[in-house]
């Protein structure tokens, strides 16, 4: 949802102009959660600009010209007055939110400084424990967004076809409950479901497009959530970081781009262990899911674990509670289409 829900579905035509190209391009602009999305005529994403960073190059003149930063080599030209006003209003709202976050961060920095001084008297492991317990939600959210962007650069763009948004939200509620976490689909292929700080669960479009049953997708998401149930996702990032990176995170709430890229490489190359069998079976039962569809898809990767799941006689799914209707499943399978 955007900061101002009244603009959640606002779209407007625009002209996209890049310094590297001599041709202007007709596009459509719309809002993401804190981004300005640039789409082609088939609703395929071409770019996402961070709204707090967007600047207006010709204040007071029309058509309005916006850019994603002071030194940006691209811009969009918008003549739609409601969209121009919406961008301005949302930026003001984000600015107020960022000021509030800055005040909270100031208090956090004071406490983190004290924690850092005390932790420095102990050992690097103590600093890491202090970081893991001291990171505020706003910083965790920012780290999740940064990691998602780098993953998208490596794998493929975020898929968010309008017809798939509702089914994706319903899938999230079925697999994750009402926790408020969200699922991000990337248009590419990778092996694992990935959980990031800020409650972001990243899945591959292949997991949706190549399966015949939404219960398989829900099972993978649920299994991943159970796997990390005892560990905050930010702990894994802290474990990956050097002591100096952890110290910087404690002192400023920021991480280096090099650390983010290195951690993404680790996420894509590692094969995390599965969670315990019994809690997983209990979670499947609570969600009204059968474990067998999930188990069959991991049989080639971990035969022992999958066989144990199957032999444990997991409950079958409840036919009265389908994961998604046939219509929703078809719509979700076109999540990466315009």
């Amino acid at each position: 949802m955007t900061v101002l829900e009244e603009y959640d579905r606002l779209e407007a035509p625009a002209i996209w102009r890049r310094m590297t190209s001599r041709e202007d391009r007709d596009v459509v602009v719309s809002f993401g959660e804190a981004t300005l999305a640039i789409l082609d005529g088939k609703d395929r994403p071409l770019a996402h600009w961070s709204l707090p960073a967007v600047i207006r190059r010709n204040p007071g003149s029309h058509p309005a010209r916006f850019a994603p930063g002071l030194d940006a080599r691209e811009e969009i030209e918008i003549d739609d007055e409601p969209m121009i006003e919406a961008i301005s209003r949302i930026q003001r709202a984000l600015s107020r939110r960022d000021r509030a976050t800055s005040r909270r961060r100031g208090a956090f920095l004071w406490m983190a400084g004290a924690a850092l001084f005390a932790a420095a008297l102990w050992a690097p492991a103590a600093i890491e424990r202090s970081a893991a317990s001291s990171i505020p939600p706003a910083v965790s959210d920012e780290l999740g967004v940064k990691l998602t962007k780098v993953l998208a650069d490596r794998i493929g763009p975020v898929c968010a076809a309008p017809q798939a948004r509702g089914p994706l939200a319903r899938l999230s509620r079925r697999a994750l409950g009402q926790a408020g976490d969200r699922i991000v689909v990337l248009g590419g292929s990778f092996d694992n479901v990935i959980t990031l700080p800020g409650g972001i669960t990243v899945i591959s479009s292949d997991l949706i497009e190549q399966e015949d049953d939404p219960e398989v997708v829900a099972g993978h998401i649920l299994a991943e959530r159970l796997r990390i149930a005892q560990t905050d996702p930010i702990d894994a990032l802290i474990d990956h970081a050097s002591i100096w990176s952890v110290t910087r995170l404690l002192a400023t709430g920021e991480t280096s781009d090099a650390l983010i890229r290195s951690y993404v490489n680790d996420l894509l190359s590692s094969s995390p262990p599965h969670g315990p069998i019994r809690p997983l079976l209990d979670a499947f039962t609570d969600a009204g899911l059968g474990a067998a569809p999930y188990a069959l898809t991991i049989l080639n990767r971990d035969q022992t674990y999958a066989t144990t799941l199957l032999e444990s006689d997991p409950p079958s799914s409840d036919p009265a509670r389908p994961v998604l209707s046939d219509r929703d499943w078809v719509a979700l399978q076109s999540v990466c289409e315009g």
Side-chain angles (χ1 to χ4, degrees), residues 112-196:
L116 180 61
F117 176 77
L121 300 178
W122 300 334
I127 295 179
E128 291 184 1
R129 289 195 299 272
S130 177
S133 62
S134 302
I135 302 301
V139 174
S140 185
D141 291 347
E142 290 175 10
L143 287 171
V145 170
K146 286 182 180 179
L147 288 163
T148 300
K149 289 180 178 178
V150 176
L151 279 167
D153 289 341
R154 288 284 306 276
I155 298 167
V158 175
C159 295
Q163 69 273 16
R165 292 172 186 169
L168 189 61
R170 286 186 280 277
L171 175 69
S172 176
R173 286 194 295 272
R174 183 62 179 274
L176 302 177
Q178 302 294 333
D181 297 350
R182 64 191 181 100
I183 299 172
V184 173
V185 182
L186 297 185
S189 178
F190 55 97
D191 289 336
N192 304 312
V193 176
I194 296 173
T195 304
L196 301 177

Side-chain angles (χ1 to χ4, degrees), residues 15-317:
I15 296 174
W16 188 27
R17 186 176 297 120
R18 291 179 293 175
M19 302 301 181
T20 56
S21 174
R22 295 183 180 180
E23 295 184 2
D24 296 343
R25 185 167 182 176
D26 292 328
V27 296
V28 173
V29 293
S30 66
F31 292 109
E33 293 191 0
T35 63
L36 194 65
I38 302 174
L39 314 171
D40 65 11
K42 296 183 178 180
D43 277 343
R44 293 177 299 201
L46 300 172
H48 287 84
W49 294 357
S50 170
L51 272 168
V54 169
I55 61 167
R56 183 167 177 176
R57 284 180 165 170
N58 61 339
S61 300
H62 285 77
R65 293 166 47 223
F66 294 97
L70 290 172
D71 300 323
R73 297 178 61 81
E74 60 179 325
E75 67 178 23
I76 52 174
E77 186 176 285
I78 303 175
D79 199 23
D80 184 270
E81 190 60 39
M83 176 60 78
I84 296 171
E85 172 62 21
I87 293 173
S88 299
R89 284 195 63 194
I90 289 179
Q91 285 188 306
R92 289 195 294 270
L94 285 169
S95 178
R96 288 194 296 270
R97 187 177 72 180
D98 288 346
R99 286 197 296 272
T101 299
S102 295
R103 288 193 294 270
R104 291 193 298 269
R105 184 175 291 175
F108 158 67
L109 293 179
W110 185 89
M111 291 185 294
L116 180 61
F117 176 77
L121 300 178
W122 300 334
I127 295 179
E128 291 184 1
R129 289 195 299 272
S130 177
S133 62
S134 302
I135 302 301
V139 174
S140 185
D141 291 347
E142 290 175 10
L143 287 171
V145 170
K146 286 182 180 179
L147 288 163
T148 300
K149 289 180 178 178
V150 176
L151 279 167
D153 289 341
R154 288 284 306 276
I155 298 167
V158 175
C159 295
Q163 69 273 16
R165 292 172 186 169
L168 189 61
R170 286 186 280 277
L171 175 69
S172 176
R173 286 194 295 272
R174 183 62 179 274
L176 302 177
Q178 302 294 333
D181 297 350
R182 64 191 181 100
I183 299 172
V184 173
V185 182
L186 297 185
S189 178
F190 55 97
D191 289 336
N192 304 312
V193 176
I194 296 173
T195 304
L196 301 177
I200 299 175
T201 300
V202 182
I203 65 176
S204 162
S205 61
D206 280 0
L207 182 59
I208 295 174
E209 295 168 353
Q210 296 182 7
E211 296 296 339
D212 297 326
D213 189 344
E215 192 168 12
V216 173
V217 183
H220 276 272
I221 295 168
L222 182 57
E224 166 64 9
R225 181 46 51 99
L226 263 292
R227 188 188 68 80
I228 57 95
Q230 303 303 318
T231 306
D232 190 305
I234 204 166
D235 288 348
L237 175 61
I238 291 173
D239 289 343
H240 184 82
S242 68
I243 187 61
W244 302 115
S245 295
V246 175
T247 302
R248 177 182 178 182
L249 182 61
L250 269 173
T252 67
E254 297 179 354
T255 56
S256 68
D257 291 342
L259 172 60
I260 294 293
R261 290 193 298 269
S262 174
Y263 183 57
V264 165
N265 289 338
D266 186 61
L267 287 173
L268 295 176
S269 61
S270 62
S271 296
H274 295 290
I277 293 285
R278 178 45 56 188
L280 181 61
L281 291 175
D282 291 343
F284 272 83
T285 300
D286 292 342
L289 298 173
Y294 163 73
L296 290 172
T297 63
I298 65 170
L299 194 58
N300 291 334
R301 286 195 294 167
D302 193 331
Q303 185 174 0
T304 301
Y305 187 84
T307 301
T308 302
L309 272 178
L310 292 169
E311 291 178 347
S312 299
D313 193 23
S316 60
S317 58

